[in-house]
Amino acid sequence: MSQRIIFNSGKRAASTILGVGVAGAATIVTSYQQANASVTRLECWEHDPKDFDLYISKPTIKDLPILLRKFDKEGLEVWPWIWTHPNNDGPHFVFVGVNEESLLQIQRLRDESNQNNILIIASEENLKRVAMARNDPDIYERCQCGLVVDRKVELLNHEDKILMLDDQRVVAFDCLTLV
């Protein structure tokens, strides 16, 4: 059973999963084939705080909207890094965890509109288990889901609809579903 938390303001957010750029961070992107799908792994090395206009070493939930505003409105390079942020391309739906029920919801969202941005934060083991239980290993690719594998939510600012992962990626969303 998934718990759906809906935050509905006029904000729009979209995933920037394939075009992530971080100033001052050495980034390695590795692509390979896995279960008939192309997988891209993103790993970041150490970064230098001097390379950022605003660097917060121990962010709190109150810092998240400030980081987003500085990045979006003022065009500053910030750390923790903004990974998804509001834009006009479509609403951003984030799922923390995945199960059969949430997968049905994801399929409905994709069927409703190709403008719906969908991000799943879950363990690789759970992603595979749920897909294989349906005998559908390509479900995430077909539904055009962004996947964040083996990461945890570290901070959640539900009022401003922003979360931060344990690797300090900041994710803005329109709707958050906890599974």
Side-chain angles (χ1 to χ4, degrees), residues 3 5 22 26 33 61 64 69 88 97 100 107 111 115 118 121 131 140 148 151 161 167 170 178:
Q3 175 185 2
I5 300 174
V22 181
Q33 292 297 108
I61 61 169
L64 298 180
R69 186 178 64 251
N88 295 323
E100 179 63 32
Q107 284 182 296
D111 291 343
Q115 294 298 108
I118 303 167
I121 302 166
Y140 307 113
V148 176
R151 289 291 172 206
K161 302 190 325 180
D167 63 1
V170 175
L178 302 176

Side-chain angles (χ1 to χ4, degrees), residues 54-114:
L54 175 62
Y55 186 95
I56 300 174
S57 60
K58 294 182 182 179
T60 67
I61 61 169
K62 292 179 181 181
D63 294 320
L64 298 180
I66 295 167
L67 287 163
L68 185 61
R69 186 178 64 251
K70 296 284 186 184
F71 179 80
D72 270 348
K73 305 288 187 223
E74 299 177 31
L76 299 179
E77 291 294 332
V78 300
W79 187 269
W81 52 305
I82 306 300
W83 204 53
T84 66
H85 55 99
N87 64 52
N88 295 323
D89 292 334
H92 191 181
F93 298 88
V94 174
F95 293 81
V96 177
V98 65
N99 62 16
E100 179 63 32
E101 184 181 329
S102 65
L103 219 48
L104 292 172
Q105 186 178 352
I106 288 166
Q107 284 182 296
R108 280 193 300 272
L109 287 168
R110 179 53 60 220
D111 291 343
E112 286 174 11
S113 173
N114 278 333

Side-chain angles (χ1 to χ4, degrees), residues 112-145:
E112 286 174 11
S113 173
N114 278 333
Q115 294 298 108
N116 288 335
N117 298 288
I118 303 167
L119 179 66
I120 304 171
I121 302 166
S123 70
E124 187 168 5
E125 178 182 323
N126 200 31
L127 288 164
K128 287 179 182 177
R129 184 184 54 74
V130 172
M132 296 314 292
R134 298 170 47 106
N135 197 28
D136 191 357
D138 299 326
I139 184 69
Y140 307 113
E141 184 178 354
R142 195 172 54 261
C143 287
Q144 301 171 358
C145 297

Side-chain angles (χ1 to χ4, degrees), residues 42 96 121-124 148-153 165-169:
L42 179 71
V96 177
I121 302 166
S123 70
E124 187 168 5
V148 176
V149 179
D150 297 326
R151 289 291 172 206
K152 304 283 185 214
V153 174
L165 300 173
D166 59 356
D167 63 1
Q168 295 196 321
R169 280 183 275 185

